[in-house]
Amino acid sequence: MNNILNETIRKEQKFEKKWKEQKLKDSGGGPRRTLVGPARVSCQLNYLDQTLGLIRNPHDLAIPESERGTSPNDLLRWGVSGEEQGRHSYLKYHTKRGGPHERFGRQVTAAHEIGWTSRLVDNYASSPFARRPLIKQDFYRTMGASLSTGAL
């Protein structure tokens, strides 16, 4: 019984080897290689490039504009939004191109009607009869306690 199992295993291994050789021959004779696109640069690598000075600051006005990168991707990848750099400057760059007037030329959707009339409105003031939350009264009630000393 043991000999029968060993012979069956050898036949399966021989068949598997033959099948793999046939598959390699059909696919061009070599192992299949997949093309890998350029790897995306991580935020850690961007940070290292900035701290080591390998790339120039696109927000530095002392550098001539021809030497600093002013593409939207450069603006996005440099700095943080808290300092009005990074995402903040990227979004600001895209809003410089204008609203729906410059992008589409005419109203495309019903929501664009708001964009067409937004430039006509200078200052908006709510109605004196509008409901407004009384935040100061809701959050800053003393309930009998002194805010300065904390005593009742």
Side-chain angles (χ1 to χ4, degrees), residues 69-90:
T70 55
S71 72
N73 287 332
D74 293 338
L75 295 173
L76 178 64
R77 289 185 170 83
W78 186 280
V80 294
S81 294
E83 298 172 354
E84 295 186 358
Q85 297 176 352
R87 183 174 176 261
H88 180 271
S89 63
Y90 175 79

Side-chain angles (χ1 to χ4, degrees), residues 28-101:
R32 179 179 285 181
R33 294 182 182 171
T34 58
L35 297 176
V36 178
R40 297 177 72 187
V41 179
S42 66
C43 63
Q44 293 88 356
L45 291 177
N46 283 328
Y47 175 74
L48 285 174
D49 289 345
Q50 291 173 22
T51 54
L52 296 175
L54 299 176
I55 55 176
R56 294 188 182 234
N57 183 356
H59 303 285
D60 190 6
L61 299 177
I63 301 172
E65 190 171 338
S66 60
E67 293 181 14
R68 58 185 154 116
T70 55
S71 72
N73 287 332
D74 293 338
L75 295 173
L76 178 64
R77 289 185 170 83
W78 186 280
V80 294
S81 294
E83 298 172 354
E84 295 186 358
Q85 297 176 352
R87 183 174 176 261
H88 180 271
S89 63
Y90 175 79
L91 294 173
K92 188 175 180 181
Y93 174 83
H94 282 291
T95 57
K96 283 183 182 177
R97 289 192 286 168
H101 300 286

Side-chain angles (χ1 to χ4, degrees), residues 4-141:
I4 296 172
L5 288 175
N6 286 338
E7 185 179 344
T8 305
I9 290 172
R10 265 188 263 126
K11 285 182 181 180
E12 287 179 2
Q13 288 174 344
K14 186 178 176 183
F15 178 74
E16 183 182 3
K17 184 178 178 184
K18 183 179 175 183
W19 181 77
K20 284 184 180 179
E21 289 174 357
Q22 181 66 30
K23 188 174 179 182
L24 281 175
K25 189 186 296 183
D26 291 343
S27 67
R32 179 179 285 181
R33 294 182 182 171
T34 58
L35 297 176
V36 178
R40 297 177 72 187
V41 179
S42 66
C43 63
Q44 293 88 356
L45 291 177
N46 283 328
Y47 175 74
L48 285 174
D49 289 345
Q50 291 173 22
T51 54
L52 296 175
L54 299 176
I55 55 176
R56 294 188 182 234
N57 183 356
H59 303 285
D60 190 6
L61 299 177
I63 301 172
E65 190 171 338
S66 60
E67 293 181 14
R68 58 185 154 116
T70 55
S71 72
N73 287 332
D74 293 338
L75 295 173
L76 178 64
R77 289 185 170 83
W78 186 280
V80 294
S81 294
E83 298 172 354
E84 295 186 358
Q85 297 176 352
R87 183 174 176 261
H88 180 271
S89 63
Y90 175 79
L91 294 173
K92 188 175 180 181
Y93 174 83
H94 282 291
T95 57
K96 283 183 182 177
R97 289 192 286 168
H101 300 286
E102 288 79 14
R103 292 186 193 157
F104 301 104
R106 63 181 183 88
Q107 300 171 2
V108 180
T109 65
H112 283 176
E113 293 176 14
I114 298 168
W116 255 257
T117 60
S118 66
R119 289 194 176 175
L120 303 175
V121 177
D122 290 334
N123 291 328
Y124 174 76
S126 65
S127 168
F129 304 107
R131 291 187 174 185
R132 288 181 234 154
L134 303 174
I135 294 176
K136 189 171 185 178
Q137 293 175 1
D138 287 344
F139 291 116
Y140 298 107
R141 287 186 281 175

